[in-house]
Amino acid sequence: MRIDILTLFPEMFASVLNSSIVKRAADPALHAERAAAAPASPEDAAASGISGSSANPATPSGLPGPSGPPVSYHLVDIRDYTTNKHHKVDRPPFGGGPGMVIQCQPVWDAVMAAEAQDPRPATRVLMTPQGRRLDQAAVAALATKPRVLIIAGHYEGIDERVIEKLAPIEEVSIGDYVLSGGELPAMVLVDAMVRLIPGVLGDETSAHHDSFSGGAKGLLDHPHYTKPREWMGMSVPEVLLSGDHAKIAKWREEQARERTMKRRPDLLG
Ligand code: SAM
């Protein structure tokens, strides 16, 4: 999957894209075995990693080959597409009122330039508190796309006309609260998506059994325990030490159902 992120603050993404599972998703080393089986072309090798104005400039084309990592990130600074001397992207709203509005032209030009870099059609996503509330089903649907282009707004938002012109575009909210910008929501979406892409998580951390997922039957996950067996006078449930896999599976399912009933009865349908 190719992920393009259009933002006015590309520097905000450095730590997230360079840490943990999100980094691993674009790490060529993770896929060394696949590369050994089918040696990468120089283009494939160049396509791995992160590109963009504030990130590792490793990937000009964004076309991961069969031996490349499953994900490539491409940060686009919307400000690079301004046509005025001072690289201003925002103007006061028509009709008056507080705040500033991001203009159509730099957003449109940034999207067109990003999309021209790769022939795969991009699923366009705008992060906005007014969008459809993100859930695991929506994340799973997006995670199957070959290419997702995410636009992070800022200030009062983006001029409505460019949003209309970019249709079809999925408007996505991460919850009923307002953040200063779409950067954190974009990072939330990227993390949630890439961990569902085959090969990104190791087997032992499979997302299939996480809360809301198929393996958990859409319920909350069961509780987890690890060493030591006793901690501050509290013991691990006996069944988990029994070695009886059928019993353990049954206990976990009961626990998942019970805590879903208590905490999120809406999930039980
Ligand atoms: N005036 C807008 C409104 O009331 O709907 C809020 C603008 S907000 C201060 C600036 C930007 O942050 C938005 O354009 C959007 O990209 C992002 N944003 C803020 N809250 C968000 C949320 N809950 N989900 C997704 N994006 C959000």
Side-chain angles (χ1 to χ4, degrees):
M1 172 191 275
R2 172 180 169 127
I3 301 177
D4 296 88
I5 305 166
L6 278 64
T7 169
L8 290 170
F9 298 92
E11 67 280 4
M12 285 179 70
F13 290 83
S15 69
V16 169
L17 298 186
N18 284 304
S19 309
S20 186
I21 299 296
V22 178
K23 177 184 183 185
R24 189 179 142 93
D27 183 357
L30 177 69
H31 302 278
E33 266 176 42
R34 282 202 296 163
S41 67
E43 290 80 13
D44 290 343
S48 60
I50 305 168
S51 77
S53 42
S54 75
N56 172 359
T59 125
S61 80
L63 283 169
S67 55
V71 178
S72 65
Y73 304 115
H74 303 262
L75 287 168
V76 178
D77 189 340
I78 298 170
R79 209 175 289 282
D80 289 345
Y81 292 88
T82 49
T83 51
N84 61 78
K85 203 166 74 187
H86 300 292
H87 300 292
K88 219 174 150 41
V89 291
D90 55 317
R91 299 283 184 219
F94 278 128
M100 301 291 266
V101 178
I102 299 175
Q103 294 178 283
C104 294
Q105 174 271 320
V107 174
W108 177 259
D109 287 354
V111 172
M112 294 303 116
E115 290 189 349
Q117 285 178 22
D118 190 311
R120 289 172 291 181
T123 299
R124 297 171 180 162
V125 176
L126 172 68
M127 305 314 302
T128 163
Q130 302 179 20
R132 180 181 158 201
R133 188 113 48 93
L134 191 62
D135 61 17
Q136 193 66 17
V139 169
L142 283 171
T144 64
K145 307 287 184 194
R147 189 172 178 197
V148 175
L149 181 142
I150 304 169
I151 304 173
H154 224 90
Y155 315 121
E156 285 305 317
I158 299 175
D159 188 316
E160 197 64 27
R161 292 169 295 178
V162 71
I163 301 170
E164 275 176 37
K165 199 81 182 159
L166 286 170
I169 184 164
E170 295 189 27
E171 300 194 28
V172 173
S173 164
I174 62 161
D176 289 351
Y177 44 86
V178 177
L179 296 158
S180 312
E183 287 72 23
L184 292 169
M187 291 184 225
V188 167
L189 176 59
V190 167
D191 186 318
M193 279 191 310
V194 301
R195 65 196 306 285
L196 297 185
I197 295 173
V200 171
L201 292 183
D203 270 357
E204 77 285 0
T205 46
S206 164
H208 184 60
H209 294 283
D210 283 339
S211 298
F212 319 112
S213 303
K217 300 189 175 135
L219 306 181
L220 299 181
D221 196 4
H222 56 77
H224 298 269
Y225 301 86
T226 187
K227 286 182 178 176
R229 285 181 179 208
E230 290 269 332
W231 180 78
M232 285 197 165
M234 299 162 83
S235 305
V236 170
E238 204 57 44
V239 61
L240 298 178
L241 309 172
S242 69
D244 184 331
H245 296 298
K247 257 195 199 161
I248 293 171
K250 186 166 172 281
W251 179 86
R252 285 179 168 163
E253 199 174 328
E254 284 163 5
Q255 290 289 313
R257 194 158 288 280
E258 206 173 288
R259 61 172 45 195
T260 305
M261 195 110 72
K262 270 196 202 137
R263 299 178 189 194
R264 290 292 305 277
D266 56 299
L267 295 177
L268 291 164

